[in-house]
Amino acid sequence: MDSLVNGSIKQRPKWLQPICPIDSRLTPPETGQIPLRTLQFKRGLLHELRKGNATKEQIRLHNLVQQLPRAIIIGVRKGGTRALLEMLNLHPAVVKASQEIHFFDNDQNYARGIDWYRGKMPFSFPHQITIEKSPAYFITEEVPERIFKMNSSIKLLIIVREPITRAVSDYTQVLEGKERKNKTYHKFEKLAIDTNTCEVNTKYKAVRTSIYTKHLERWLKYFPVEQFHIVDGDRLITDPLPELQLVERFLNLPSRISQYNLYFNATRGFYCLRFNIVFNKCLAGSKGRIHPEVDPSVVTKLQKFFHPFNQKFSQITGRTFNWP
C-alpha cells in the first residue's frame, strides 16, 4: 500500500504487474456488522430514508445521523452510475445521496469544507452505509488526493462500459442538449477523428474519458487496487444481479438483493427495481437514448486505438470484459 512520506506519495513498485483474479480479493461478508433483522421491523422508515424524506420527528426518535460516505461511485460518466446507485439502494443497509454532490471536483464546493459535504448526505441509521456518486471524480486530477485526505480506506466503485459505446453515449447526451437549445453540433466521427492527421482525437473529451487506464493510474498513486471494485456496466444492463452480488461482497454486506428486486420492463428495455410489494421504480426516461449510427471505419479505428488501453485496464484490475 502507498504511504505518505514528508507530505508526498511514495509509490508502490511494480504496481502494473497482473494481480489475482477479482473473486480472490472479495472478502466474505461479516453479517454481524449490519443488524438487518432490526431494519426489517422499520420497513416504512427505510422507505422514507430511500426517498430522502425522513421527518424531524423520525430523526429524533430513531437517532438518525448524516454520515460521510464509506463508498463512492467515482465514475465513469455514461457508464451506468445512476443505475448502479439506484440498484444498490435496494439493499436495506445502504442509503444513497440522491443528487451528484460534486464536492471533490468543484473547487467552490470543496472550499466549503467537510461539514458542508456531510450536510448533503441523507439521514441514516449509524450502521448503514452511505454511498454517493459523482462521475466527474474519476477524470478530475485533484480528486484522488482530496478523497484520500478525507478517508484513506474508503471503498471506490467504478462502472465502465465498452469504451466506444460509452463515448457515443456521451456524445448522444451532449447532442440532445444542443438540439433542445436549437444549436447545431458536429457528427461524432468529426469529433472523434482528427481531420488533419486522420488519427483518433484524444483531445475530444468523450474519447479521453474512455481511456480508463490513464485515469485509474492517477488514482493508484493514492489508493491500492484492493480498494477499487470495477463493475461491468454492459453486464449490469443485461444481467444485473451477478454484478450487484459482487458489489455486496466488496462492500462487506450480507447478500440481500435478489432476483425478486429486479424485473425486466419490455417497454423500456431495461430492468426496473422492486423494493417491496407496493413500491417499484424505473430509471428516468432519459436513460437508454438511441445512439446514432457510426461509420464502421471509424469504429474499427477506435477499436484498434482502445485495445491496448483495455488490455492494460484488465491487467491492473483483474476484470475481463467482452470488448472487441
Side-chain angles (χ1 to χ4, degrees):
M1 180 174 177
D2 288 349
S3 60
L4 279 171
V5 179
N6 297 325
S8 61
I9 297 296
K10 181 182 179 181
Q11 295 188 26
R12 298 178 305 281
K14 301 181 180 178
W15 61 269
L16 282 179
Q17 290 183 356
I19 62 169
C20 55
I22 189 169
D23 282 350
S24 66
R25 294 193 278 114
L26 296 169
T27 55
E30 299 173 13
T31 55
Q33 291 185 347
I34 307 292
L36 292 181
R37 182 171 294 183
T38 302
L39 290 178
Q40 295 308 315
F41 292 107
K42 300 178 179 178
R43 288 176 181 170
L45 181 53
L46 277 178
H47 181 58
E48 295 305 312
L49 291 177
R50 281 170 173 150
K51 296 191 298 180
N53 291 341
T55 65
K56 289 183 179 180
E57 185 66 12
Q58 288 172 329
I59 291 167
R60 185 183 64 81
L61 285 175
H62 297 281
N63 297 315
L64 302 180
V65 292
Q66 287 174 295
Q67 303 183 82
L68 292 173
R70 280 193 267 165
I72 300 179
I73 301 171
I74 59 174
V76 175
R77 171 181 161 90
K78 307 313 299 175
T81 57
R82 174 56 60 182
L84 177 60
L85 184 68
E86 297 293 342
M87 289 178 177
L88 290 179
N89 196 42
L90 289 164
H91 199 291
V94 170
V95 291
K96 66 178 176 68
S98 297
Q99 304 298 321
E100 293 179 8
I101 300 170
H102 292 283
F103 177 63
F104 297 102
D105 66 305
N106 182 297
D107 290 341
Q108 184 177 354
N109 287 344
Y110 190 66
R112 290 170 169 159
I114 202 72
D115 289 335
W116 178 87
Y117 182 50
R118 189 196 306 272
K120 293 294 182 180
M121 297 300 156
F123 282 91
S124 63
F125 294 105
H127 50 263
Q128 289 181 300
I129 292 176
T130 298
I131 299 179
E132 78 123 323
K133 74 104 174 174
S134 294
Y137 290 169
F138 186 58
I139 63 170
T140 305
E141 188 171 344
E142 299 83 4
V143 171
E145 182 179 7
R146 289 174 174 180
I147 292 181
F148 181 88
K149 287 178 178 178
M150 177 190 74
N151 181 359
S152 62
S153 61
I154 197 165
K155 303 227 173 178
L156 301 165
L157 293 161
I158 305 172
I159 180 167
V160 295
R161 296 194 68 189
E162 189 278 317
I164 302 171
T165 302
R166 195 223 62 82
V168 174
S169 179
D170 199 332
Y171 165 83
T172 304
Q173 179 170 307
V174 175
L175 175 65
E176 185 179 279
K178 297 282 188 182
E179 290 177 341
R180 280 200 303 267
K181 298 175 182 178
N182 294 317
K183 294 183 178 180
T184 58
Y185 197 47
H186 293 298
K187 291 186 66 176
F188 175 79
E189 292 87 341
K190 190 169 183 179
L191 295 168
I193 304 298
D194 188 315
T195 53
N196 294 321
T197 65
C198 293
E199 298 298 327
V200 173
N201 179 17
T202 56
K203 293 181 180 179
Y204 177 39
K205 189 174 181 179
V207 167
R208 200 166 63 248
T209 299
S210 285
I211 310 175
Y212 305 135
T213 186
K214 290 293 186 183
H215 305 292
L216 182 60
E217 285 172 3
R218 183 172 57 251
W219 284 84
L220 288 169
K221 294 177 182 177
Y222 293 88
F223 299 96
V225 72
E226 290 80 13
Q227 281 176 233
F228 296 87
H229 178 73
I230 309 302
V231 179
D232 186 334
D234 296 305
R235 193 180 180 206
L236 192 74
I237 294 171
T238 59
D239 188 17
L241 185 58
E243 287 297 316
L244 295 173
Q245 290 172 334
L246 286 174
V247 177
E248 284 179 321
R249 290 173 62 190
F250 173 70
L251 296 178
N252 206 25
L253 293 172
S255 179
R256 286 296 181 272
I257 302 174
S258 69
Q259 201 61 58
Y260 168 80
N261 301 118
L262 303 159
Y263 66 95
F264 188 76
N265 185 312
T267 303
R268 300 289 297 277
F270 288 95
Y271 278 87
C272 293
L273 316 180
R274 181 183 291 115
F275 288 86
N276 53 44
I277 196 169
V278 296
F279 180 46
N280 299 341
K281 182 176 184 178
C282 289
L283 295 180
S286 62
K287 305 301 178 182
R289 297 177 179 88
I290 297 175
H291 294 180
E293 292 289 331
V294 179
D295 186 315
S297 66
V298 172
V299 172
T300 300
K301 187 180 286 287
L302 287 169
Q303 286 175 347
K304 290 179 179 178
F305 171 80
F306 283 121
H307 183 68
F309 296 112
N310 296 342
Q311 284 188 315
K312 195 172 183 181
F313 185 70
S314 292
Q315 180 189 27
I316 294 170
T317 62
R319 286 223 70 168
T320 57
F321 305 91
N322 293 322
W323 298 343

